[in-house]
Amino acid sequence: MNAIISASELASALSGAKPPVLLDVRWQLSIGKAAGEPPFDGRAAYRTGHLPGAVYVDLDSELASAPGGHGRHPLPDLAVFGAAMRRAGVSSATPVVVYDGGMGWAAARAWWLLRWTGHPDVRVLDGGLPSWEGPLLTSEPQPAEGDFVPVPAADGLLHADGAAALARSGVLLDARAGERYRGEVEPIDRVGGHIPGAVSAPTTENVGPDGRFLPAGELGARFAELGVSPSAPVGVYCGSGVSAAHEVLALAVAGIPAALYVGSWSEWSADPERPVAVGPDPQ
């Protein structure tokens, strides 16, 4: 099953016999919040217009736990996550499509969580809300309660020590912007740089100017150039486990399974005992 769906495919699916549950996960990283700027309000954006039938899901409170020692967006409490999914009408036997404002990061986080906790049929709307040409509604739907109960998989998730080991034994991709990987700037975390051995792979290079994913073949070629091969396990991290989920999604589009280090740089860099590499060289 493809991990993404086009707007035209979604329109057809919504008019079919088994329409998917729609989740609206609009969210933006707000670096300016530390300087007193108001954070982006995804729920307010949702109320100005959303896909028909879509239910809003909050990334910060339902797809993550409170910031702390495990990073800015640690794994959510599974009871909270499961309740949010059931409230939105998610059931194990019903397909789910997730979208956001177009960047795809937040939608990918929801996609990854649902897949990791056992949902068999989840896709992301390629290009997000800007790709949708149909009507938008402002009324909030009240779907029937779903039955989805999240059960974490035994694999697909990395912790700090596992990420460090993977950087030596496989391929660990750093999905942040290149200047943050090199340690030239660090607008959020304690120090700049990267996990020793990690390879710079900005997630922004997985999409075209319209925000839609590059074709699977082009993505596969890109990852091969970065050292990804069928024989090596792959993991991804970013600043706090959101944009890295988008890179895991890009890898899935290319047919490559990958694990996510959810704590990412916000967890790694908070521990002064963990090594930090700077510059363009992985080591």
Side-chain angles (χ1 to χ4, degrees):
M1 183 190 71
N2 200 344
I4 57 176
I5 185 172
S6 69
S8 60
E9 290 170 333
L10 176 57
S12 296
L14 289 173
S15 62
K18 193 175 182 180
V21 170
L22 291 179
L23 305 181
D24 183 312
V25 197
R26 270 177 273 185
W27 172 89
Q28 291 179 13
L29 176 64
S30 181
I31 295 175
K33 185 167 61 173
E37 296 179 15
F40 173 78
D41 189 338
R43 186 175 294 278
Y46 166 82
R47 286 171 174 161
T48 65
H50 53 80
L51 268 64
V55 175
Y56 178 72
V57 175
D58 184 72
L59 186 147
D60 289 318
S61 64
E62 296 175 317
L63 305 182
S65 297
H70 292 296
R72 285 191 307 280
H73 290 105
L75 286 173
D77 180 282
L78 288 182
V80 172
F81 172 64
M85 294 299 99
R86 292 188 293 274
R87 170 186 62 82
V90 174
S91 292
S92 297
T94 304
V96 178
V97 172
V98 192
Y99 72 91
D100 58 24
M103 183 171 283
W105 294 4
R109 172 75 175 219
W111 166 85
W112 180 84
L113 275 168
L114 280 165
R115 293 290 292 161
W116 179 65
T117 56
H119 199 287
D121 189 352
V122 190
R123 287 179 285 180
V124 169
L125 175 59
D126 195 17
L129 186 64
S131 71
W132 180 254
E133 297 181 352
L136 299 178
L137 301 182
T138 57
S139 58
E140 297 191 32
Q142 301 295 324
E145 182 88 358
D147 64 14
F148 178 69
V149 176
V151 179
D155 56 8
L157 174 68
L158 291 173
H159 297 289
D161 290 344
L166 187 59
R168 298 188 297 269
S169 64
V171 179
L172 182 65
L173 300 176
D174 184 317
R176 297 172 300 158
E179 59 269 24
R180 291 185 70 189
Y181 169 89
R182 296 187 295 271
E184 297 166 358
V185 299
E186 182 42 64
I188 307 174
D189 293 311
R190 186 181 66 86
V191 295
H194 58 270
I195 297 173
V199 177
S200 180
T203 197
T204 52
E205 297 179 14
N206 295 322
V207 298
D210 59 0
R212 301 182 193 187
F213 282 103
L214 300 175
E218 291 183 28
L219 287 171
R222 180 192 184 220
F223 291 124
E225 290 178 358
L226 293 170
V228 174
S229 69
S231 62
V234 181
V236 190
Y237 75 95
C238 59
S240 65
V242 178
S243 67
H246 189 268
E247 188 127 295
V248 173
L249 176 58
L251 285 154
V253 171
I256 303 165
L260 176 66
Y261 174 24
V262 174
S264 285
W265 189 247
S266 59
E267 177 186 46
W268 182 278
S269 64
D271 183 350
E273 298 298 317
R274 295 200 177 276
V276 171
V278 296
D281 190 288
Q283 302 299 333

